[in-house]
Amino acid sequence: MAKRAPSRRIGIADVAKQAGVSHATVSRVMNGNFSVAADIAERVRQAAADLKYQPNSVGRSLALGKTDTIGVVVPDLENPTFQAILRGVSRAAARDGYRVLIADSSEVSSEEAILAGEARRRCDGVILCAPRMADADLRDLAPALHPLVLINRSTPVEDTPCLSADYGQGIQDLAAHLVARGHRRLVFLAGPEPSASNRLRVRGLELFMEQHPAVELQTVPGGVSFAAGHEAVDAILASGATGVLAFNDLVAMGLLSALHERGISVPGQLSVTGFDDIPFARYTTPTLTTAAVPITELGEMAWQRMSAVLRGDEDVVLGTVIQPEVILRGSTGPAPS
Amino acid sequence: MAKRAPSRRIGIADVAKQAGVSHATVSRVMNGNFSVAADIAERVRQAAADLKYQPNSVGRSLALGKTDTIGVVVPDLENPTFQAILRGVSRAAARDGYRVLIADSSEVSSEEAILAGEARRRCDGVILCAPRMADADLRDLAPALHPLVLINRSTPVEDTPCLSADYGQGIQDLAAHLVARGHRRLVFLAGPEPSASNRLRVRGLELFMEQHPAVELQTVPGGVSFAAGHEAVDAILASGATGVLAFNDLVAMGLLSALHERGISVPGQLSVTGFDDIPFARYTTPTLTTAAVPITELGEMAWQRMSAVLRGDEDVVLGTVIQPEVILRGSTGPAPS
DNA sequence: TTGCTGCGAGAAAACGTTTTCTCACTCAGC
DNA sequence: GCTGAGTGAGAAAACGTTTTCTCGCAGCAA
């Protein structure tokens, strides 16, 4: 039982008593239900105002069987990509009167399943960004999470909308750009091995290499962060490549910074591309050539899908692949002769 | 009444029936209450597992009178400062088993009060970042929001912990640094007029000027974003100053970018400082001299305060002011002779 | 006047838990 | 063998809403 504090929060019962009507009538008035006489409605509204009545949303949720809240599970709130997704979801959901509960797994992949389940119990649905979760785990988890929307997974799961960017195509476009500028020795500064979006990039590059036998491609292990890019500078230089395809903008920026420290000219000696087009990409020096993923919009779309499922729409669009767009800026140029 | 779907979610009642006990016993087992025989407990646990029982947290919240959720109201999820606060709060709260509901007012100041109230109704407490809310409004709102923790407000509100950074001192330290390097003509690239943290900076600079009569200080209207800094470049150059104190790192970076486009050398011709030390500040070219505010930690501290209030601690620390630390990097240098 | 219709509002059930109350039962002590 | 304490578990109330059900009353046709 809740503690009976001396002054409990005022509830619908208090308003009812004050107005001399029943709970039911108060509820009807508060919900704009019309079948209530004007004078009584007014009296109720007056009473509610006098008492500063605020409906308790937990009670409401229990009765209605919905919380008007959705959970967003992200692997890392520090990563601009996930911040953007969160922002997109949050704003779109807010327009429809929904709120967002955040669950940040802090890159602890094993936590994701638990977090997602926990979030689902509190919310009407879950939007899941778990790039590194194993496919099998995801399949096991999905039914319990429904309504569920997936972001950046290539695994199709029954009845589950999935939005993703075509990283494979994007990285090919970037590679093609470098090759068109005369680069023949490229290096891929990779992301985390188990990440779905990294696998897509790798696969895209494999395709690219099949079509460009004259080009040489190496791979250097990297990561997702500034630090990863910064630390990889020696390996990158050792590769002898003239063009670097970094896993994402963060990594590219870390690398750019390290190259600057070494006095390596970009793009004079080395061309560098990022991926994502985070807001900062246009403010680096040199500005960063990258493949833009409209990530905030992707968050908004995730909400659209969720909203459709919540409304019980038939035929919700399940698979959606967004095409990244190559943005040419200052960090790429012709290969040094 | 909630729709009676053919297969309703399984609840405590189903587990009770399956195990041949009462709801009460199931509840006791699930909550680790000891006064239940081992064999019965085992039977209940088995039944729960068989049925994949997941306790409904809305029902739980109603009975317990708490939601284990707190709301965080931020003016702009796009701003790295608020992202960092959110991250700090979220991670700290998660460690204590609490979740975070986000309410992004999208810079619409008039929405903040409503959003905060709405968040409070769904949550056990609210952490409010509303730098531009009028003091009077805040005072009116505060009682309804309690438990409440304020961030970056200078207004003391009864019984309400408030964490803030000493922007006034920080900007003075930055100004002192520039003056020490020989700058005599400074310009403050201001933030939004009504923002509390901007007022603190202005006040700090007034103090500084009193102590340094030989220094000339102008003020140029700016904003909080890249774009604001970028657009202000003409006004900055027209001021004839040799040292720029930008409102924050974002503005400074926008300005840096615009200066680079104009071919103005930083710090050769112009020194620039930021404020906040966002992660990107160390990756700009040149790297940004700024006053570091440990903002994620500030978010964590906000949770500590909230947690203390929630636990019913007497004497919670109310006012906490964090001292920014000047970080010297490459964007400032001696005044041009 | 009687009976039917329609409407407005109160009574009560329902949502899914937790917790207090109560009671049946066991066991020890006399 | 009877009483008292102690223990374990079911019954029921409580949390604060929404919604269905029901009923009283007014109006109208027969």
Side-chain angles (χ1 to χ4, degrees), chain B residues 307-321:
Chain B
S307 166
V309 176
L310 254 21
R311 283 195 309 265
D313 271 16
E314 303 299 324
D315 47 60
V316 178
V317 182
L318 294 188
T320 306
V321 177

Side-chain angles (χ1 to χ4, degrees), chain B residues 141-208:
Chain B
L141 195 58
L145 257 33
H146 194 269
L148 173 66
V149 171
L150 257 25
I151 291 190
N152 270 357
R153 297 289 312 206
S154 43
T155 338
V157 177
E158 200 188 1
D159 263 1
T160 302
C162 179
L163 311 224
S164 56
D166 192 343
Y167 293 103
Q169 185 59 52
I171 200 97
Q172 289 184 68
D173 292 347
L174 287 168
H177 161 63
L178 289 176
V179 168
R181 302 306 303 271
H183 296 268
R184 290 296 174 270
R185 302 187 65 181
L186 305 182
V187 58
F188 174 50
L189 179 44
E193 194 72 53
S195 148
S197 80
N198 188 63
R199 287 202 306 270
L200 288 171
R201 288 170 174 85
V202 169
R203 183 80 196 100
L205 287 171
E206 286 168 4
L207 252 56
F208 184 84

Side-chain angles (χ1 to χ4, degrees), chain A residues 1 22 25 28 36-37 40 62:
Chain A
M1 207 68 21
S22 70
T25 302
R28 279 188 277 258
V36 49
I40 294 210
L62 186 60

Side-chain angles (χ1 to χ4, degrees), chain A residues 291-330:
Chain A
V293 178
I295 194 76
T296 306
E297 284 82 343
L298 194 139
E300 286 172 16
M301 291 176 69
W303 166 249
Q304 307 297 357
R305 300 288 183 275
M306 176 59 76
S307 165
V309 176
L310 254 21
R311 283 194 310 264
D313 271 16
E314 304 297 324
D315 46 61
V316 177
V317 183
L318 293 189
T320 306
V321 177
I322 294 184
Q323 290 304 325
E325 182 192 356
V326 170
I327 310 279
L328 299 180
R329 296 209 183 92

Side-chain angles (χ1 to χ4, degrees), chain A residues 178-307:
Chain A
L178 289 177
V179 169
R181 302 305 302 271
H183 296 267
R184 290 297 173 266
R185 302 187 65 182
L186 305 181
V187 59
F188 174 49
L189 180 44
E193 194 74 50
S195 148
S197 80
N198 187 63
R199 286 201 306 269
L200 288 172
R201 288 171 173 85
V202 169
R203 183 83 195 97
L205 287 173
E206 286 168 3
L207 252 57
F208 184 84
M209 295 311 290
E210 285 172 18
Q211 291 159 19
H212 298 78
V215 175
E216 180 193 326
L217 175 76
Q218 297 173 62
T219 296
V220 163
V224 295
S225 63
F226 276 131
H230 202 270
E231 286 164 16
V233 63
D234 288 323
I236 292 295
L237 292 175
S239 76
T242 63
V244 184
L245 298 157
F247 176 72
N248 65 19
D249 289 347
L250 248 38
V251 172
M253 289 173 69
L255 178 63
L256 242 35
S257 163
L259 290 170
H260 182 75
E261 288 166 14
R262 304 270 162 119
I264 311 276
S265 149
V266 176
Q269 298 171 259
L270 198 59
S271 284
V272 174
T273 66
F275 211 116
D276 289 344
D277 194 29
I278 62 176
F280 290 86
R282 70 188 65 194
Y283 295 96
T284 54
T285 309
T287 54
L288 189 62
T289 291
T290 192
V293 178
I295 194 76
T296 306
E297 284 82 343
L298 194 139
E300 286 172 16
M301 291 176 69
W303 166 249
Q304 307 297 357
R305 300 288 183 275
M306 176 59 76
S307 165

Side-chain angles (χ1 to χ4, degrees), chain B residues 188-324:
Chain B
F188 174 50
L189 179 44
E193 194 72 53
S195 148
S197 80
N198 188 63
R199 287 202 306 270
L200 288 171
R201 288 170 174 85
V202 169
R203 183 80 196 100
L205 287 171
E206 286 168 4
L207 252 56
F208 184 84
M209 295 311 290
E210 286 171 16
Q211 290 159 18
H212 298 79
V215 176
E216 179 192 325
L217 175 77
Q218 297 173 63
T219 296
V220 164
V224 295
S225 63
F226 277 132
H230 201 270
E231 285 164 17
V233 64
D234 288 324
I236 292 295
L237 292 175
S239 75
T242 63
V244 186
L245 298 158
F247 177 70
N248 64 20
D249 289 346
L250 249 39
V251 172
M253 288 173 70
L255 177 63
L256 242 34
S257 162
L259 290 169
H260 182 74
E261 289 165 15
R262 303 272 161 114
I264 311 277
S265 149
V266 175
Q269 297 171 262
L270 199 58
S271 284
V272 175
T273 66
F275 211 115
D276 288 344
D277 194 28
I278 62 177
F280 290 85
R282 69 188 65 195
Y283 296 96
T284 54
T285 310
T287 53
L288 190 62
T289 291
T290 191
V293 178
I295 194 78
T296 306
E297 284 83 342
L298 193 138
E300 287 172 14
M301 291 177 69
W303 165 249
Q304 307 297 356
R305 300 286 183 277
M306 176 57 76
S307 166
V309 176
L310 254 21
R311 283 195 309 265
D313 271 16
E314 303 299 324
D315 47 60
V316 178
V317 182
L318 294 188
T320 306
V321 177
I322 293 183
Q323 290 303 326

